[in-house]
Structure formats: structure tokens, C-alpha cells
Amino acid sequence: MDEAQTADVAVIGGGPAGSVMAGLCAKAGLSTVLFERENGPRYRIGESLLPATMRQVLPLIGAQDAVDAETYIVKRGATFCWGADKQDIWTLAFGPDQADDPPLALNVDRASFDEILLSSAQKCGATLLRGHDAISVGDGDAQQGRSVTYIHRESAKQNALRARFVVNATGQMRLNIPELDAREHSHFFRKVAVWGYWVGGGRLDAPLEGNVFFETLETEHGTAWVWYIPLRNGLTSVGVVAPRDCLANLRLDARTGLANWLATCPRTTELLRNATPAEHAPYDQVSLCADYSYASKAFSAPGVVQVGDAACFVDVLLSSGVHLATYGALLAARSIKATLSGAIPEDIAMAEYESRLRQEFAVFYAGLSGLYDMEKRSQDYVGWLRALLQNSNGVLMEWGQSLDNPGGLNVDGASCSDADLHAQVQRNLTMMRGYNSYQLAYEGPPKATPIAALPAIRNVLAIDEHGEWIIPAHTIRTPTLATSVT
Ligand SMILES: Cc1cc2nc3c(=O)[nH]c(=O)nc-3n(C[C@H](O)[C@H](O)[C@H](O)COP(=O)(O)OP(=O)(O)OC[C@H]3O[C@@H](n4cnc5c(N)ncnc54)[C@H](O)[C@@H]3O)c2cc1C
């Protein structure tokens, strides 16, 4: 093993979460090393993005121009053949109202999109170590630092780096860090996803041609649904999300299982009328994934934090994965910068990250599980989802509508008091961990939880004009915590 190197921040994993994290830390002047095990572009599912990622996070690492220069598919929202109005299609448009100029998002091929983010992180000043697999993270904290042991895959040469802060952004199959290993899996989203790619698939009529399209179907184990994501170069990503009990049969022959299900969906069948299964790698495969809905019991320990899928993932429906990954990376990067600069104690900074991300997780969890209620009319889904998803702390902030607003869900004009910072952040954290646990353990029928029933955390930190955490003087208010959980 070579002599140990040092860095302020070591980020493990070069997906969207890791690249945003590394770019933001490097831009703040922290020496940052980003480990990515793959040597070049790699396939990843997760092609449908939300406006929050495009509009607020990408510009922060300078990735906007490169993304705009690509020919990715522009989308204005999601279109459904779903629920009590299934005979017609209906659309959930992005944006707070039906404005002509709603925030737009993209459908991307992740191999190229993730490369843009990686190179943006490098341009921000991060050192990228490609083809390097991190194999363990040592004990420590932000004072002593932690060691990352890694191996160069080609030469099998092992090395170590000591960083003041380590970020685990290794995705769903994350690197095991014993203090952060425990995960709670969702009982409600016990699903299996099966997907493949088609060439020459049809598109919805303008202006919906870039929209993700969803259509429900019935399986032997209950209701399932199709995603149909238009990609560039005539490619379409098509998958089915079904009850997990379907997994055994899919394991026998996933390609036939997927084809049989799609054949029962009239709208999808019509869209695929002139399409053929893709024959070029990596799109020639039919893939399976199950047990992907979970949250880690803790997102951070002294000197180390988990972001992106390594921390949590809700469900495939409505494309929250890359949003939670990039929004979480933004929050956690603020917390690391504030900790390492000595501006804010580590426990406060990291609790702020975790409780805000958990709140966003809670909002999406509520929204997506309620959408599985197949009895509602389209206007009910749309009205309720708009209220829920467009009023959440994270999404509002990412849209730049309240960057200087420390609140979000919890801005209620409560009077100020000298509440203790540590007690307040602990209260937030305990409440959000408890609420996420409650959500993950729930296995009853789908229910459309209203936004008022979600816990409202009292955000402790505010954001200054540079987008960094500050402790605002006299802004700690008497908490008005939601006590009821429906
Ligand atoms: C079926 C399915 C469909 C989905 N569809 C969507 C969608 O339409 N829209 C959406 O937003 N999300 C979707 N998602 C979720 C989305 O794929 C993830 O949320 C997103 O990729 C998370 O980003 P990440 O950076 O956390 O992890 P990843 O994108 O998984 O990146 C992790 C990176 O870490 C690297 N790595 C792992 N271990 C190590 C190591 N030890 N050392 C060095 N490098 C390492 C990997 O090579 C990889 O590049 C979907 C998920 C599933 C299961």
C-alpha cells in the first residue's frame, strides 16, 4: 500500500449524488477526491428527471450548459391512463399552475448525463479517481478524519486516503459502513420492476410528446403499472412495476413476462405498434429489480454521511430518485462545508441535512403511495399531488422561489424564543426518523395523506446569499410540531 494521501472530503460513488456533492465541496475550496469504480460511461436506470434537478441543482455545479447542449427529450409533466378516469388520458403538468411556461424537465440516457455531472465536478476542482473501488471506510470523526481504503481495479493496487469527511454515494448496492448499515424497507412499496428498451416507439401528441406516460394493468397478484419514457434517438424505456409476488415468475422469463403484461395495455400497445426491441447494448437487456424502497436508519455518523440511494429511495413512480439524490447532496454539501469551516457544530449541520431530506422523502412517500389508490378521479389526483409536491420544502427551494426562506412547510409566523439549537435539531431528527419509520412500516391500503398531516419540522438553519447554512439570530421559534399521524 502507498503512503496515505489526504483530502478534506472523499466522495465515494460518481452517480448524480456523488458528482453534485463533489462539485459543490470543491467549488467551496475544499480539497475533494471523487472515487468512481467504473472506468467510463456506465448504464443506469433512472432516466426521467424532475424540474428541481434541472433548474436549481445543475447550475450550481456548472452543468447546465453541457446538459442543454445535448438533445435530451424535454418533458412538461407526466401523463396517465390511471384511476377512475382511465378511459381517458390525463396529465399532471409541472409548475405551480397551468402557466404557458411551466418548469421543464428532461428524459436522459443516464450514461451520458452522469458523465456530464462527473466532468462538471472535475471542472469545479474535484479530483476524479476512475476505475477505483472504495472497499472500506475507517472509524473516526470530522476532527480526526476517516480513512478510505480503495483499490485500482486494473492493477489491483491498494491504497488509502485520509479525509476530514467521507461521503457514501455508492447507490442502492452501497458500500457498507457499519455505523450506517441498518436500513428499514418499505412494506407498502414491496414491488418488482421489470424493464427493457424499444426502438421506434410512438409519442403522445404535442405538447405531451416528451412526457412520461403511465398506464395501469392487472396481474395475478394485483394492480401493476407501465412506465413509458421517450428517450432520444428513437429509443423508449418501457417497464412494469408489479407486486413483489410476481418476482418468482419473472425470474423464470422476464422478457416474456414483460411482453405479456404490455400486451394487456391498450395505450402502450398502440404506442409500441411500430416499435422493435432494442438490439444494441446496453439496451438489449430486460432487467429486474426488487426491494428498492427503503431508508437508512441514520444518514450520518461523525465524519461520514450517506447521500442519494445510499441513504433512501421511495419508488419508481414520478421520478423522485435523482431529485432526492441531487437535493440531498446539495443539503449535505452545505452541512459538510459549514462543519469543516467551523461555522456550525457538526451535529447541528448534519441533523439539518437529515431532517430536511427526510421531510422531502416523507412528502414523496405520501404522494406516491396515495397515487396507488386506483379509485380517484383525475382532478382529485392532480389537485392533491400539486398541493403535496409543489408545496414541499425541497421542491419550492429548488425552484428558486424561496432560497432565502429557511422555512417551507413550517413557515407559520410562530413567535421567537431562545430555544436550544441542539434540542431543536434533535427534536426535528427524532420526529422525522419516527415519521419515516411509520411510513415504511405501513402496509395498509393506499391513502392520499394531505400535506397538513405531514410533520412540519422547524428548520434551524437558514441559507445566506451564497446559498450556505447560517444560524440566524433569534429565529429559533417555538416548535409547532404535528402530533397526529394519519
Ligand atoms: C426500476 C427503477 C427505475 C427508476 N427510474 C427512475 C427515474 O425515472 N427517475 C429518477 O429520478 N430515478 C429513477 N430511479 C432511481 C435512480 O436510479 C436513483 O435514485 C439514482 O440513480 C440515485 O443516484 P445515486 O447517485 O445515489 O446512485 P447511482 O446512480 O447508483 O450511482 C452510484 C455510483 O457509485 C459507484 N460506486 C458504487 N460503489 C462504489 C465503490 N465501492 N467505489 C467507487 N464507486 C462506487 C457506481 O459505479 C455508481 O456510478 C429508478 C430506480 C429503479 C430501481
Side-chain angles (χ1 to χ4, degrees):
M1 193 184 289
D2 282 354
E3 202 177 313
Q5 310 142 313
T6 59
D8 290 323
V9 184
V11 181
I12 308 171
S19 291
V20 168
M21 170 62 81
L24 291 175
C25 289
K27 218 172 127 183
L30 298 171
S31 59
T32 304
V33 175
L34 172 56
F35 297 97
E36 169 51 49
R37 65 155 54 127
E38 301 298 338
N39 249 325
R42 55 98 182 91
Y43 169 81
R44 182 81 175 96
I45 188 65
E47 295 127 342
S48 161
L49 306 183
L50 292 181
T53 303
M54 317 310 311
R55 294 208 0 168
Q56 193 61 31
V57 184
L58 294 190
L60 296 178
I61 58 161
Q64 189 73 62
D65 289 348
V67 168
D68 287 346
E70 296 288 327
T71 51
Y72 295 134
I73 301 293
V74 174
K75 71 164 175 253
R76 302 167 73 86
T79 298
F80 295 82
C81 181
W82 192 286
D85 291 336
K86 194 175 184 311
Q87 69 282 3
D88 298 317
I89 60 168
W90 53 273
T91 292
L92 175 71
F94 295 138
D97 50 39
Q98 298 291 344
D100 289 339
D101 184 23
L104 300 177
L106 298 175
N107 300 327
V108 302
D109 37 286
R110 284 283 305 278
S112 80
F113 178 78
D114 288 13
E115 282 298 305
I116 292 175
L117 299 200
L118 271 175
S119 91
S120 301
Q122 279 182 292
K123 285 180 192 148
C124 289
T127 302
L128 174 61
L129 294 184
R130 290 206 89 137
H132 287 80
D133 212 339
I135 49 178
S136 68
V137 174
D139 296 337
D141 58 32
Q143 265 84 48
Q144 311 161 26
R146 284 180 180 253
S147 65
V148 176
T149 304
Y150 61 96
I151 190 161
H152 184 232
R153 295 179 84 182
E154 216 172 277
S155 65
K157 196 172 164 197
Q158 196 165 308
N159 214 327
L161 174 143
R162 179 159 281 273
R164 294 167 72 197
F165 224 103
V166 175
V167 179
N168 187 2
T170 51
Q172 195 184 115
M173 307 300 290
R174 74 192 160 160
L175 176 68
N176 179 1
I177 298 174
E179 296 140 282
L180 299 176
D181 195 31
R183 252 180 192 176
E184 290 173 290
H185 279 266
S186 168
H187 291 247
F188 182 86
F189 292 114
R190 286 190 76 252
K191 311 285 179 198
V192 54
V194 54
W195 68 95
Y197 293 84
W198 272 257
V199 176
R203 300 292 180 246
L204 298 173
D205 292 339
L208 308 180
E209 67 275 26
N211 283 17
V212 180
F213 175 64
F214 298 110
E215 181 171 16
T216 52
L217 66 135
E218 290 306 317
T219 73
E220 66 274 32
H221 297 292
T223 304
W225 55 270
V226 176
W227 82 69
Y228 188 97
I229 304 177
L231 298 173
R232 62 182 171 180
N233 301 327
L235 202 62
T236 308
S237 166
V238 187
V240 170
V241 173
R244 195 188 188 283
D245 291 343
C246 299
L247 181 59
N249 274 344
L250 285 172
R251 280 204 174 115
L252 299 176
D253 185 353
R255 192 174 288 277
T256 304
L258 175 60
N260 288 345
W261 278 340
L262 295 180
T264 68
C265 302
R267 304 248 181 198
T268 305
T269 301
E270 176 58 23
L271 286 166
L272 289 176
R273 191 158 45 98
N274 298 318
T276 51
E279 289 177 352
H280 57 292
Y283 298 111
D284 53 346
Q285 304 296 312
V286 168
S287 308
L288 274 180
C289 182
D291 304 321
Y292 45 70
S293 180
Y294 53 78
S296 295
K297 283 199 169 174
F299 293 178
S300 76
V304 63
V305 62
Q306 297 190 143
V307 292
D309 278 9
C312 59
F313 179 65
V314 182
D315 186 44
V316 179
L317 193 54
L318 286 192
S319 319
S320 65
V322 173
H323 164 62
L324 290 175
T326 55
Y327 173 53
L330 167 60
L331 295 173
R334 282 191 185 123
S335 292
I336 290 175
K337 290 185 271 177
T339 302
L340 294 185
S341 71
I344 292 169
E346 181 180 359
D347 62 337
I348 292 180
M350 300 320 293
E352 188 79 2
Y353 153 65
E354 181 165 340
S355 15
R356 289 197 192 213
L357 183 59
R358 283 186 179 280
Q359 181 170 266
E360 192 74 346
F361 179 90
V363 167
F364 275 91
Y365 201 100
L368 305 193
S369 49
L371 196 46
Y372 278 79
D373 173 357
M374 297 298 163
E375 308 297 322
K376 284 197 161 24
R377 311 300 306 252
S378 54
Q379 70 266 29
D380 297 328
Y381 289 120
V382 170
W384 164 71
L385 282 170
R386 277 182 176 284
L388 197 64
L389 300 179
Q390 294 175 357
N391 289 330
S392 86
N393 185 19
V395 171
L396 263 188
M397 196 191 69
E398 305 310 350
W399 284 353
Q401 293 170 9
S402 60
L403 256 183
D404 56 354
N405 181 350
L409 277 178
N410 57 352
V411 174
D412 57 7
S415 62
C416 297
S417 80
D418 287 335
D420 171 63
L421 282 179
H422 291 267
Q424 180 61 59
V425 294
Q426 275 314 316
R427 221 169 3 231
N428 282 342
L429 195 54
T430 306
M431 181 174 66
M432 286 318 307
R433 283 181 178 168
Y435 191 74
N436 287 166
S437 284
Y438 157 78
Q439 289 182 300
L440 289 158
Y442 175 78
E443 53 189 336
K447 55 179 184 177
T449 309
I451 194 162
L454 294 177
I457 61 168
R458 170 61 53 211
N459 293 339
V460 169
L461 303 179
I463 303 159
D464 70 11
E465 67 275 22
H466 308 295
E468 303 300 342
W469 291 142
I470 50 168
I471 299 176
H474 306 302
T475 56
I476 310 305
R477 302 171 185 179
T478 307
T480 51
L481 307 181
T483 47
S484 66
V485 166
T486 61

